[in-house]
Amino acid sequence: MANILYYTLKPYIKLMHDRLLYRKRYIIGLENLPGTDERYFIAVNHENTGNDPVNIAMALPFRIRMSAMARADLFRIHPIITGFIRWIGLVPAYRARWEGASGLDSNFESFDEVSRRVNECSPLLICPQAGHTQGHYSERFTTGLVRIAFITAEQNGWKEDVKILPTVLHYSDYFDVQTDLAWIILPAISLQPYYE
């Protein structure tokens, strides 16, 4: 029932989102998107806070239901909000600068959930730079993405390829509506050659 509701609401949300916020969306390299039966992580720069995952979710083909990692403190606001953000596909990410070093152990539960979703061929969006920048650049990426990808491969018994899909978002303006947005999708990186 939850999936039916999601796919019923997605076209309406996409229409409202695209009409209200953006003048034009450009998707470059859509042919690089892995197939629906493949396991992959979407890596993207983090320029515009909450808009980044929504923009990619709305740009993906209709049949793809993406998940994303989000700041763990969002999951403590209110139980109803927690239920909603989990329903739309968010998974908590615990960070040392917010939850402290002791909170990082909670990530293992999140990694297991992420790995299960990706092994069910539901891609996961992650911003490997771990914070957001309001500028046309990327900061140094953390190693968490590769770690989660290898956990995913281990959970499927090293039988299936897990890929990392590098992508880039670019906004013509961060602080206004009716701006242009470009999502550039680069060729996926296969991790299978590195399993040994």
Side-chain angles (χ1 to χ4, degrees):
M1 184 63 165
N3 278 341
I4 292 170
L5 184 60
Y6 178 87
Y7 287 113
T8 302
L9 291 175
K10 186 176 178 179
Y12 175 74
I13 293 169
K14 178 178 171 53
L15 176 68
M16 297 307 295
H17 176 268
D18 290 356
R19 293 280 181 199
L20 292 176
L21 292 182
Y22 298 102
R23 180 175 50 218
K24 179 73 175 164
R25 177 199 310 273
Y26 301 90
I27 303 174
I28 302 160
L30 192 59
E31 69 277 3
N32 292 322
L33 199 65
T36 55
D37 60 343
E38 295 187 73
R39 293 151 178 80
Y40 63 99
F41 291 83
I42 302 169
V44 69
N45 57 318
H46 199 7
E47 291 192 3
N48 209 7
T49 320
N51 282 347
D52 293 341
V54 175
N55 285 323
I56 292 177
M58 296 300 111
L60 285 169
F62 179 76
R63 67 193 179 283
I64 297 175
R65 184 169 183 182
M66 178 194 86
S67 298
M69 294 195 83
R71 292 169 39 167
D73 57 326
L74 295 175
F75 294 78
R76 294 190 295 269
I77 296 172
H78 188 277
I80 292 173
I81 293 172
T82 301
F84 175 74
I85 61 179
R86 282 193 173 276
W87 175 73
I88 62 172
L90 297 183
V91 179
Y94 299 87
R95 298 178 296 176
R97 70 182 134 167
W98 295 96
E99 285 80 30
S102 61
L104 295 179
D105 287 343
S106 300
N107 278 325
F108 292 110
E109 186 178 328
S110 293
F111 293 169
D112 285 342
E113 184 176 347
V114 162
S115 297
R116 179 186 54 76
R117 290 180 186 198
V118 173
N119 276 318
E120 292 171 355
C121 299
S122 175
L124 182 106
L125 172 80
I126 191 165
C127 302
Q129 65 194 45
H132 73 277
T133 59
Q134 290 181 333
H136 301 297
Y137 62 91
S138 292
E139 291 183 345
R140 185 172 183 268
F141 282 7
T142 65
T143 58
L145 170 58
V146 176
R147 188 176 308 127
I148 298 169
F150 277 114
I151 290 170
T152 302
E154 183 179 29
Q155 283 191 359
N156 72 45
W158 309 101
K159 295 183 182 90
E160 302 291 341
D161 192 9
V162 175
K163 296 178 178 178
I164 295 175
L165 183 69
T167 71
V168 178
L169 278 173
H170 178 76
Y171 300 85
S172 63
D173 190 310
Y174 297 115
F175 304 107
D176 206 353
V177 295
Q178 290 298 300
T179 60
D180 294 336
L181 166 68
W183 184 37
I184 303 163
I185 306 168
L186 304 169
I189 301 165
S190 168
L191 295 184
Q192 205 160 36
Y194 305 101
Y195 284 180
E196 283 299 318

